[in-house]
Amino acid sequence: MLERKRPINHMSEKQRQKRAAAGDTNPFSTLPAGAPLNRAAGGRMSALDRKPPKPSRKRPAVPPTVRDALAERAGGFCEIQRPGCLGQGTDPSHRISQKAGGRHGEAKTRHDRLSNLMWACRRCHDFVTDNPEASKAPNVGWALEEWQRPAECPALYRGRLVLLADDGSMTFLSPNHDLTTA
């Protein structure tokens, strides 16, 4: 058990009675009567004075034109739609992560192609990010390796395999499509 180096100064009964007689509404507080409780009013720092925490994830910006075309292709709904999906898409999900190939110049334009993006709800996007091995399976295609070409690799789009094109179109593949060639 930890021991205090200094004992806690408790308010004596005499001090408490003196404060109560002076009209102090809380004679048990060590703050002077009417003292401000937050720093803005000249008092102590409170939880309200602290800065809000930074968001846990900084989302890389996808150019607005690409983002609009992606949302239009999806019709506003999540394109991944795995079990537990929220339905409404809100996030562009990169099939090849931006960490894998860079964020500037040619790499940026290569990563922001529609064949490399899927419109996802927050829950599906988190699943893809948190489970890269499951998302990279050949019959899923929500995540790809850096060396793969998104336009040539099928993705599971709302339960069906498709090839996504850079112009926003998609080609539905037959259920018995040979995935070993991709």
Side-chain angles (χ1 to χ4, degrees):
M1 184 171 175
L2 296 174
E3 293 183 26
R4 292 187 177 273
K5 292 182 180 178
R6 260 183 12 197
I8 297 175
N9 293 334
H10 295 284
M11 191 181 302
S12 69
E13 186 62 35
K14 187 175 180 181
Q15 284 177 318
R16 198 172 288 122
Q17 289 173 355
K18 184 177 173 184
R19 285 182 179 233
D24 192 350
T25 56
N26 186 2
F28 294 96
S29 173
T30 57
L31 288 174
L37 297 178
N38 64 6
R39 184 165 281 183
R44 295 191 297 189
M45 180 181 268
S46 71
L48 298 174
D49 296 321
R50 293 187 185 100
K51 292 180 181 177
K54 292 182 179 180
S56 60
R57 180 188 320 222
K58 184 178 177 183
R59 295 189 190 136
V62 173
T65 55
V66 176
R67 188 180 179 95
D68 292 345
L70 181 63
E72 184 180 327
R73 178 182 78 190
F77 295 101
C78 179
E79 293 182 315
I80 295 174
Q81 291 190 350
R82 59 176 305 280
C85 178
L86 300 174
Q88 182 178 359
T90 56
D91 298 337
S93 176
H94 288 87
R95 294 173 68 198
I96 298 176
S97 75
Q98 288 191 314
K99 294 176 190 173
R103 297 181 181 172
H104 305 288
E106 183 186 334
K108 175 83 173 142
T109 58
R110 185 174 59 243
H111 281 289
D112 289 338
R113 291 183 180 156
L114 289 174
S115 62
N116 188 44
L117 293 164
M118 293 188 80
W119 195 242
C121 69
R122 169 58 35 200
R123 193 172 288 165
C124 289
H125 191 200
D126 285 344
F127 175 84
V128 171
T129 304
D130 297 340
N131 301 287
E133 292 309 313
S135 301
K136 288 179 183 177
N139 60 341
V140 177
W142 296 328
L144 300 173
E145 297 290 343
E146 180 183 349
W147 54 268
Q148 292 177 298
R149 294 184 183 137
E152 298 173 4
C153 296
L156 195 61
Y157 182 94
R158 299 177 181 161
R160 293 184 60 192
L161 281 176
V162 299
L163 287 175
L164 301 172
D166 290 334
D167 64 0
S169 65
M170 65 185 90
T171 305
F172 288 92
L173 303 175
S174 65
N176 56 359
H177 178 75
D178 183 15
L179 297 172
T180 59
T181 58

